[in-house]
């Protein structure tokens, strides 16, 4: 494995790489799924893992995101071809079982005379025994390929791939096939038949009147995994000088897994392949309960840009709050914290799962600084980090513009203008995220119209029966969750169902709505009023304050937080304040920060000119400055941070409660530019 910078995904793969130590039985392997929305670097992470494995670990891959739908047999054929390459200092893997089964499946037999079919099948298999490829074999290959297409076992678009890979596979067949043939008969559908009779049954299931494509797929998957189990011990031992970086003492001998890297399993064929693989593993373990090698040594590392229900039985969907979740499920692990033990040893009462969903980490600020060729503490790097939420594709999209920009503290319009002269770059950015790909009759304009409901920090809970009469809102919210754009906050002091939409998509949605022209659709004000006036919102004063701030009614918000200041614990007060301060705004981005701050403070003073307490004055300053600083497209400055810090310090001195530590902590965060 290569030496150099290692991403969290690469380090995770290294932690999962050990198959077993000397003397220990094989252990079950998870289907590890790297999760992230569009542009989160899933493919890059998978490529980094494969580069890191290098020649020291046997591995192969398949990309479900390129081309048409691939069947499980298509994928197995490609994987067998890649795995049977010549690996340095190791014998060549031989997928004998799989290749024989493939020949049997695609043989063109009459189905009328058993003896004739048996003789023809034996002759066909024997014809591929030779090491040299002869012209007559090309004709046989043409027949097999056409048969595979005609039966639907190989998708037409993958016929060329099959024709390319099959000669490589059959070259590895040797005359001594007894063991491989016997294992092919070790399958329920064989019903105790002899090996060649079992192969005839396999052919009948592929072509006969009782055609059963599912059974054929199961048989071929079993053959493939059988080849893996036989080949693995000869090819899994780390070489003395191989770049093995396993977290284990070098004195303890161990064997590596083979690694299968599957990209975009959320595309057609991906989840079906994983389900077929898992079902085959479970069948073999049940049929061979006393076999020390019952578990194959394939570590599956897959990527997905969507959440699938199959994972939700044992894992808590990322957008669902931990409060109230069944005790039988557990939260999805972050990439940095994931490990084999975390998957294999759940706490008592938690459901086991063959899947191991893992969240990819956003890009850290240091890496963003390298992309922008700038210091980590510069305003442009801070802006990119806040606006993109560390989304790699968004960082790359903004890189050229930010490198050429003179970004200064207090700027509010850097990302709402485009050097190419576009009127509103937000629409283009949203389009590039592919939000409408899985929704018929829903357009980007519909997502923009739904911005208030999508960006509200609690969203609309899965079980809510909201009375908001808005077209497409339910479908849009479901899609945003499924596409992994939403994450539950699970923070103390917030609403139980608080969740956050990814800042990059949230900021672009709100900005596009705020700048929508008259007559182009519902307005920013109209949509946020619809959210505010919904009965579900009216029952929660924090949600109501959020909507009021989004609508610019700062006095109502100041009144609420002044009233609550000495009534609830300060930690809870600060948490609710931070939630509300992240409400969006439709303030003109071209107007300077200082001017807007004065205007907001004066609005509260005009609304409540008399009887103002010191608490109210400080809360007003805090909310005015915090609202402007929370805008992810704005560049906060030290002056803003200091106003917020001073307000917290003043509130701490006027508090009637003993728990002012939360206010002091918030002050310190503000001074470092970390609040809100």
């Amino acid at each position: 494995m290569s030496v150099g910078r290692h991403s969290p995904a690469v380090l995770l793969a290294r932690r999962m790489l050990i198959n077993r130590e000397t003397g220990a039985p094989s252990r079950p392997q998870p289907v590890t799924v790297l999760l992230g929305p569009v542009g989160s670097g899933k493919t890059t992470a998978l490529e980094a893992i494969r580069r890191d494995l290098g020649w020291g670990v046997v591995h192969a891959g398949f990309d479900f995101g390129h081309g048409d739908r691939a069947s499980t047999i298509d994928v197995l054929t490609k994987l067998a071809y890649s795995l049977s390459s010549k690996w340095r200092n190791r014998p060549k893997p031989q997928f004998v079982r799989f290749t024989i089964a493939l020949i049997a499946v695609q043989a063109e037999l009459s189905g009328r005379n058993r003896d004739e079919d048996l003789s023809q099948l034996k002759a066909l298999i024997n014809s591929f025994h030779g090491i040299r490829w002869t012209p007559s074999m090309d004709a046989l290959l043409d027949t097999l390929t056409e048969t595979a297409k005609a039966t639907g076992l190989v998708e037409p678009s993958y016929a060329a791939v099959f024709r390319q890979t099959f000669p490589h596979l059959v070259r590895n067949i040797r005359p001594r096939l007894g063991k491989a043939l016997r294992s092919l008969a070790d399958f329920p559908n064989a019903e105790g038949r002899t090996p060649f009779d079992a192969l005839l049954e396999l052919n009948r299931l592929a072509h006969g009147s009782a055609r059963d494509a599912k059974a054929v797929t199961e048989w071929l998957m079993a053959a493939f995994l059988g080849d893996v189990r036989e080949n693995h011990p000869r090819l899994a031992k780390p070489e003395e000088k191989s770049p093995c970086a396993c977290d284990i003492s070098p004195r303890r001998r161990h064997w590596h897994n083979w690694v299968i890297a599957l990209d975009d399993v959320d595309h057609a064929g991906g989840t079906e392949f994983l389900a077929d693989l898992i079902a085959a593993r479970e069948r073999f373990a049940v049929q061979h309960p006393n076999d020390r090698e019952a578990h194959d040594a394939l570590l599956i590392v897959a990527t997905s840009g969507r959440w699938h229900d199959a994972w939700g039985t044992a894992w808590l969907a990322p957008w669902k709050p931990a409060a109230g979740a069944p005790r039988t499920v557990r939260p999805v692990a972050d990439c940095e914290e994931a490990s084999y033990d975390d998957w294999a040893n759940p706490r008592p009462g938690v459901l086991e799962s063959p899947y191991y969903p893992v969240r990819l980490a956003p890009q850290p600020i240091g890496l963003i600084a390298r992309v922008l060729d700038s210091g980590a503490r510069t305003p442009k790097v801070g802006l990119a980090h806040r606006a993109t939420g560390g989304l790699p594709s968004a960082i790359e999209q903004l890189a050229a513009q930010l490198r050429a920009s003179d970004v200064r503290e207090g700027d509010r319009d850097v990302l709402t203008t485009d050097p190419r002269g576009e009127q509103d770059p937000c629409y283009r950015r949203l389009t590039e995220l592919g939000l409408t790909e899985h929704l018929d009759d829903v357009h980007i304009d519909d997502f923009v119209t739904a911005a208030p409901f999508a960006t509200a920090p609690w969203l609309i809970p899965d079980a809510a029966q909201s009375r908001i009469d808005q077209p497409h809102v339910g479908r849009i919210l479901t899609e945003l969750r499924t596409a992994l754009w939403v994450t539950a906050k699970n923070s103390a002091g917030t609403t139980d169902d608080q969740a956050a939409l990814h800042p990059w998509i949230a900021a672009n949605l709100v900005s596009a709505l705020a700048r929508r022209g008259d007559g182009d659709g519902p307005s920013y004000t109209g949509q946020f009023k619809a959210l505010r006036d919904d009965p579900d919102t009216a029952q929660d004063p924090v949600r109501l304050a959020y909507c009021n701030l989004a609508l610019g009614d700062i006095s109502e918000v100041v009144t609420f937080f002044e009233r609550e200041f000495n009534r609830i614990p300060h930690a809870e007060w600060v948490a609710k304040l931070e939630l509300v301060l992240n409400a969006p705004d439709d303030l003109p981005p071209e107007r300077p920060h200082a001017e807007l701050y004065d205007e907001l403070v004066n609005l509260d003073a005009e609304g409540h000119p008399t009887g103002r307490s010191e608490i109210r004055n400080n809360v007003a300053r805090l909310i005015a400055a915090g609202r402007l600083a929370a805008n992810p497209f704005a560049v906060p400055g030290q002056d803003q941070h200091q106003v917020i810090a001073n307000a917290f310090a003043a509130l701490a001195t006027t508090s009637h409660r003993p728990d002012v530590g939360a206010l002091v902590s918030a002050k310190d965060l503000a001074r470092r530019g970390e609040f809100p």
Side-chain angles (χ1 to χ4, degrees), residues 103 123-134 136-137 140 166-177:
I103 293 172
L124 182 60
I125 292 175
N126 288 329
S127 68
F128 288 112
H129 280 184
I131 296 177
R132 297 180 60 189
W133 189 270
T134 63
S136 63
M137 293 180 178
L140 288 174
F166 189 77
H168 177 82
L169 295 176
V170 298
R171 285 192 182 101
N172 291 324
I173 296 180
R174 296 295 182 264
R176 304 179 69 176
L177 303 175

Side-chain angles (χ1 to χ4, degrees), residues 64 69-72 75 217 221 265-279 308 355:
F64 289 93
R69 178 190 184 88
S71 71
T72 292
V75 181
T217 298
M221 178 65 80
V265 294
D266 50 305
H267 285 63
T271 53
E272 291 87 344
F273 177 82
L274 295 182
D276 289 338
L277 173 74
I278 288 169
H308 287 270
Y355 295 101

Side-chain angles (χ1 to χ4, degrees), residues 74-95:
D74 294 326
V75 181
L76 290 176
T77 304
K78 184 68 166 61
L79 292 177
Y81 174 81
S82 299
L83 290 172
S84 58
S85 301
K86 181 65 177 74
W87 299 92
R88 188 185 300 183
N89 300 331
R90 288 172 167 84
K92 193 173 185 179
Q94 298 175 358
F95 282 80

